[in-house]
Amino acid sequence: MRQCLTSLEGGYYTYRREGRDQFGQKGDFITSPEISQIFGELIGLWLVAEWMGQGRMNHGVEIIEMGPGRGTLMDDMLRTVSRFKDLASSIENVFLVEASPSLRNAQKRLLCGEKPLEETEIGFQCMSKHFGLPITWCEDLRFVPSTLSKTPFIFAHEFFDALPIHAFQSVAPSSSPVQTFTTPTGPISLNNPNPQTQSHQWRELLVNSAPPPTTSPPPGKDPPPEFELTISKSSTPSSLLLPTLSPRYRALLPILGATIEISPESQSYVADFARRIAGSGSKPPSSTLLQPDILLQKQPTKPHPSGAALILDYGPQSTVPPSTLRGIRSHALCSPFILPGLVDLSADVDFTSLADAALGASEGVEVHGPVEQGDWLLQMGARERAEMICKELDKTGGDEGATKEEAKKRIRGSVERLLSRVPGKGMGGLYKVLAIVPERGGKRPVGFEGGLGD
C-alpha cells in the first residue's frame, strides 16, 4: 500500500500526472470537506469548544493536520477560527503532514496564495492568508516538534484508511512437529514449535503476481489484476507476533478461515498523538498493543495535559476489520491489484485498536467514540448552520428566484449527504468520529453528547 500510494516513482498521491486530480467529481473520490464547507466549519467549532473547555490558553496552541488533501478542510477551519480572536492569537503554528509535493503545492496555493514557500530544517513554511499564521509542511509527523509546553490539536480526516495493513487468516493446525517460517533472508526452522501449531494458526496473506490473463478485457472494462493475495505456506514473523498482541485477535483464531487486518503504523501514529497531548509518564507499554517506538520516544508526564485529537474515517465501531482492502477509481470500487499507482487504496479503520493504542501510550488521556459521523454533525449543529447560510443568501443581492432556491437546495442536499445513513448515498453511518482528549473523569466533549459546561 505504501509503495503504491506514496512512492516518489509512480505513487498515487506523490507522483504528479498532468491533468489528473485525485479529488472531486473529475477525480476518483470526493471527501466530506469538498462536499460542504459546513464540515470544516464544524470541525473548527469543535476546536474552539475544546480550547474553551481547557481553559482558553493564550499561547502555545498548535494545529496539526494529517494528510490534508487539497487543504479545503484546513481552509474552512481557519476561516472559522479567525472569528474567535483570542483563540486565533494563541495559535503559534499550523503543521500539515503531507508526503506529496504536488498536494503540498495545492495546499499552499489555497492557504497562502502567491506568497513564497521557504524551505526549513523540518520541511517548508509559508505565511497563511488567515491572520498571518505560519504554516509548516512536514513529510512525516516525526518531523513535527513535540514539546510538552505546547497544546497540539491534531486532526486526521481520511488519513488512517490509507495506512498499510497486514492481513492474516486462521488455518487448521499444522501436522508438522517442526515449524518453518519465511524471512527476507530465507526459511528458518523452529525447534520448539509455536503454541499456534497445537491449534489453529494465523497465516499472513501476501501479495503475489497474478497468473497471466487468458483473454483480453472487453472495451471500457478494467484490466485483469496484475497481483493477487495468496496465503503464506508457513508462518511469517508478522503472523507469529501481530495477531497475538490483542485479545480481540486471539478470540478469532479458533474460527477457521477468519480473516483480520492489523495496521501497526496506525497504532504508532495514534500513540504519538496521545503522548503529544499528555506525555507518556510512568505507564509501561501494554503487552496487548504494538507500540515499538514507545520506549525510544518515552517522555515525562506532561505537567498540564492539553490539546486533543479528532479522527474521522470509515470502519466498524468495535469489530476487527476482515477483508476490506479495496481499490477506488472514478468514484467506484475496483480491485486493489489493478493499475498500481493509478488506483487509490484503502482499508477499514480499526477504531478500537486506535483507542487501545492511545490509552496504552499515555495515562493522561481518555478516548471518546467512535460515534457515527451523522450523529456527530447533528450534535455540532450541521442543519442549523445550513439554514443560517440559506438565510444569508436571502439577504444578498444579485440573482433572485430560482437561482437562489437552487443554491439553497444544494446547500441542504450536501449536508444531508454527510448526515444520511442510506448505504451508497450517504456518509453519516459509514464514517465514524473518535476523540482523544486529556483525562478529565470521563466528561464528554462536544459532539459526543457533551457540552461546553460539562
Side-chain angles (χ1 to χ4, degrees), residues 413-426:
S414 63
V415 168
E416 291 307 315
R417 182 177 175 184
L418 299 178
L419 297 174
S420 173
R421 294 172 176 79
V422 178
K425 294 184 179 180

Side-chain angles (χ1 to χ4, degrees), residues 138-215:
C138 300
E139 289 189 4
D140 192 274
L141 184 61
R142 293 172 297 174
F143 301 128
V144 178
S146 179
T147 307
L148 295 177
S149 61
K150 303 297 183 182
T151 299
F153 289 96
I154 308 168
F155 299 90
H157 174 250
E158 291 203 48
F159 171 75
F160 285 96
D161 67 275
L163 294 182
I165 60 168
H166 290 262
F168 306 95
Q169 188 173 100
S170 175
V171 301
S174 171
S175 59
S176 173
V178 178
Q179 189 175 11
T180 301
F181 68 94
T182 304
T183 73
T185 58
I188 295 178
S189 297
L190 294 180
N191 293 324
N192 295 318
N194 185 274
Q196 286 192 27
T197 62
Q198 309 304 316
S199 60
H200 289 79
Q201 303 173 33
W202 288 114
R203 290 289 174 82
E204 189 162 12
L205 296 173
L206 305 174
V207 177
N208 201 358
S209 297
T214 56
T215 60

Side-chain angles (χ1 to χ4, degrees), residues 103-115:
L103 287 177
R104 181 182 64 222
N105 290 334
Q107 297 154 14
K108 180 261 176 188
R109 287 193 298 271
L110 178 62
L111 297 170
C112 304
E114 298 304 317
K115 296 175 182 177

Side-chain angles (χ1 to χ4, degrees), residues 377-378 380-389:
L377 290 173
L378 281 173
M380 293 299 299
R383 286 190 176 129
E384 290 81 355
R385 176 56 180 154
E387 292 308 311
M388 288 177 60
I389 296 176

Side-chain angles (χ1 to χ4, degrees), residues 130-380:
H130 296 285
F131 46 92
L133 190 63
I135 297 181
T136 302
W137 281 265
C138 300
E139 289 189 4
D140 192 274
L141 184 61
R142 293 172 297 174
F143 301 128
V144 178
S146 179
T147 307
L148 295 177
S149 61
K150 303 297 183 182
T151 299
F153 289 96
I154 308 168
F155 299 90
H157 174 250
E158 291 203 48
F159 171 75
F160 285 96
D161 67 275
L163 294 182
I165 60 168
H166 290 262
F168 306 95
Q169 188 173 100
S170 175
V171 301
S174 171
S175 59
S176 173
V178 178
Q179 189 175 11
T180 301
F181 68 94
T182 304
T183 73
T185 58
I188 295 178
S189 297
L190 294 180
N191 293 324
N192 295 318
N194 185 274
Q196 286 192 27
T197 62
Q198 309 304 316
S199 60
H200 289 79
Q201 303 173 33
W202 288 114
R203 290 289 174 82
E204 189 162 12
L205 296 173
L206 305 174
V207 177
N208 201 358
S209 297
T214 56
T215 60
S216 300
K221 297 294 184 178
D222 288 336
E226 301 176 47
F227 303 92
E228 63 182 7
L229 280 181
T230 59
I231 190 165
S232 175
K233 295 181 180 180
S234 59
S235 297
T236 62
S238 294
S239 71
L240 293 174
L241 173 64
L242 297 182
T244 69
L245 296 176
S246 168
R248 300 169 65 234
Y249 310 145
R250 295 195 294 270
L252 295 172
L253 178 61
I255 304 174
L256 186 64
T259 303
I260 60 174
E261 294 171 343
I262 303 174
S263 176
E265 192 167 331
S266 296
Q267 296 178 11
S268 181
Y269 270 118
V270 83
D272 192 331
F273 294 177
R275 292 194 294 270
R276 288 172 184 267
I277 294 168
S280 59
S282 58
K283 186 175 183 177
S286 169
S287 60
T288 64
L289 300 172
L290 182 69
Q291 295 174 15
D293 58 345
I294 191 168
L295 295 178
L296 298 177
Q297 299 183 11
K298 190 172 179 64
Q299 298 175 336
T301 301
K302 196 173 181 177
H304 302 286
S306 61
L310 193 69
I311 298 169
L312 306 98
D313 225 310
Y314 49 83
Q317 283 190 307
S318 59
T319 58
V320 179
S323 303
T324 68
L325 177 64
R326 61 180 72 83
I328 303 172
R329 183 171 180 244
S330 300
H331 300 274
L333 296 180
C334 66
S335 168
F337 303 118
I338 65 170
L339 304 173
L342 297 176
V343 169
D344 185 30
L345 302 179
S346 73
D348 281 3
V349 175
D350 186 349
F351 283 96
T352 300
S353 172
L354 298 187
D356 287 344
L359 295 173
S362 175
E363 60 185 358
V365 299
E366 58 187 40
V367 176
H368 295 271
V371 299
E372 292 186 349
Q373 174 179 287
D375 289 336
W376 188 85
L377 290 173
L378 281 173
Q379 290 188 47
M380 293 299 299

